[in-house]
Amino acid sequence: MQFIKDRGFSTPVAEGITARATFDQRRDFLRQLAGGSAGVGMALWSGRQALAQTAAPGKMRALPGARSTVAGAMTMEKSSSYADVTGYNNFYEFGTDKSDPARHAGRLKTQPWSVVVEGEVRKPGTWDIDALLKLSAMEERIYRMRCVEGWSMVIPWVGYSLAELIRRVEPTGNAKYLQFVTLADKAQMPGLRSSVLEWPYVEGLRMDEAMHPLTLLGFGLYGEILPNQNGAPVRLVVPWKYGFKSAKSIVRIRFVEAQPAASWNVALPSEYGFYSNVNPKVDHPRWSQATERRIGDDGLLARKRPTLMFNGYENQVGQLYAGMDLAKYF
Ligand SMILES: Nc1nc2c(c(=O)[nH]1)N[C@H]1C(S)=C(S)[C@@H](COP(=O)(O)O)O[C@H]1N2
Ligand SMILES: [Mo]
């Protein structure tokens, strides 16, 4: 995606620029990026098919999890290779190219780490990462993941339901939504020099979505702790929503009464809604969401595979949205 780099990303944005100009520039850049990246990214990936197709455990510290018994948590589909899962990423804090996170996230210091829990809870506080790791039994969950750009993977995550943490902090009756705030440290994250998004990257879920047993607080993949490019040391994994809802490298969880800001929704509200449920019937304004390419399996010339309602998790999560107009609340 050199052309994209040349057109903006690597160009530092002057501090004194007006807010409106920054906004226009960011919006134009995001449009370019999102519209073009599925194709260009796939070309990049198909050039790399020679990479090992097997898991590469042993690179990171082991983090085994027992097979999950949560309904829908173990898809039978073949997992994507460790090389693809850890080499083809979106993590804009480290750059917008799919290979940037693997190249630049190594410098991220994930120990010590803590997560602040605040807002509408009876037990606010700061959780050390070691306490979070011990809070509940680790499970393996094999989830289909679908990026809004039109590609997908199958990833064996390790973690436990976010609900475990939520119950322990005792939300008040006013807690209607959760906001997830991620790390924004210029010293460690070269992507923050760009105004491609507002930093820190933030995401949000409605309380019932956050409490759903499939919503995972993720600490590992392929039986090991998360590589930095996948959101170490702790991230969200929401398999029925487009990938960008799954916030990486979380530092703060806020329980709030009103629908919170979410980065892509703030950047381009007409293109990325707050809900962002995978839905083949609701197109992105500039491209269809009816089909996808599975990274590692579907070459550029292969017929695309159909995208499933709620990414195939309709039986588990469909009732959360009963009666909602999903074209309006996209
Ligand atoms: N902090 C942060 N989290 C993020 C992103 C990001 O840029 N920054 N990208 C999102 C997007 S668009 C996707 S598709 C997934 C990718 O996760 P993966 O690299 O582990 O597959 O992370 C999401 N979480
Ligand atoms: Mo994504």
Side-chain angles (χ1 to χ4, degrees), residues 2-263:
Q2 197 53 46
F3 73 99
I4 282 168
K5 282 202 165 141
D6 291 342
R7 280 206 227 158
F9 185 68
S10 60
T11 311
V13 176
E15 289 294 325
I17 208 160
T18 66
R20 182 70 209 178
T22 305
F23 175 81
D24 289 344
Q25 199 177 341
R26 176 188 297 139
R27 189 197 50 209
D28 292 346
F29 172 65
L30 286 172
R31 291 222 161 107
Q32 241 172 46
L33 188 67
S37 57
V40 180
M42 283 299 295
L44 198 99
W45 162 74
S46 50
R48 281 209 216 106
Q49 285 187 57
L51 286 175
Q53 289 298 301
T54 51
K59 288 180 114 170
M60 312 290 294
R61 187 156 48 81
L63 184 67
R67 268 183 78 90
S68 180
T69 55
V70 170
M74 300 292 277
T75 175
M76 301 300 284
E77 287 177 85
K78 178 174 130 244
S79 292
S80 304
S81 74
Y82 187 85
D84 285 336
V85 170
T86 62
Y88 188 90
N89 305 101
N90 275 336
F91 198 167
Y92 278 16
E93 289 86 335
F94 294 101
T96 55
D97 195 288
K98 296 286 179 283
S99 60
D100 283 337
R103 266 190 284 153
H104 302 305
R107 72 181 80 174
L108 177 66
K109 200 163 169 268
T110 59
Q111 189 73 258
W113 191 278
S114 55
V115 177
V116 174
V117 175
E118 64 185 14
E120 293 291 342
V121 289
R122 285 189 195 89
K123 295 186 170 163
T126 300
W127 289 77
D128 188 82
I129 188 66
D130 292 326
L132 278 180
L133 281 161
K134 280 183 270 183
L135 180 138
S136 187
M138 288 291 167
E139 294 182 7
E140 180 174 58
R141 310 237 184 131
I142 307 182
Y143 283 171
R144 278 182 296 275
M145 305 298 293
R146 167 63 155 84
C147 178
V148 75
E149 295 164 330
W151 49 269
S152 60
M153 291 201 210
V154 174
I155 303 183
W157 299 107
V158 184
Y160 51 76
S161 294
L162 174 65
E164 298 288 343
L165 173 62
I166 296 177
R167 280 192 204 101
R168 281 170 179 77
V169 300
E170 299 179 13
T172 71
N174 295 331
K176 303 282 187 334
Y177 295 87
L178 279 71
Q179 187 185 44
F180 303 86
V181 183
T182 72
L183 185 71
D185 180 359
K186 277 193 172 146
Q188 304 189 77
M189 299 172 138
L192 298 194
R193 287 194 296 257
S194 158
S195 60
V196 55
L197 289 171
E198 278 175 33
W199 312 111
Y201 190 101
V202 288
E203 258 308 335
L205 293 174
R206 211 170 59 189
M207 180 60 92
D208 58 345
E209 299 176 319
M211 283 298 290
H212 193 282
L214 282 175
T215 300
L216 188 76
L217 203 54
F219 300 88
L221 57 84
Y222 265 114
E224 300 180 351
I225 60 164
L226 287 171
N228 291 348
Q229 61 267 35
N230 293 92
V234 58
R235 66 171 291 169
L236 193 62
V237 187
V238 192
W240 70 93
K241 292 177 180 277
Y242 290 115
F244 63 89
K245 298 294 290 182
S246 293
K248 294 176 169 180
S249 304
I250 294 167
V251 294
R252 193 174 289 270
I253 302 177
R254 292 190 180 122
F255 289 72
V256 294
E257 186 153 19
Q259 184 177 298
S263 286

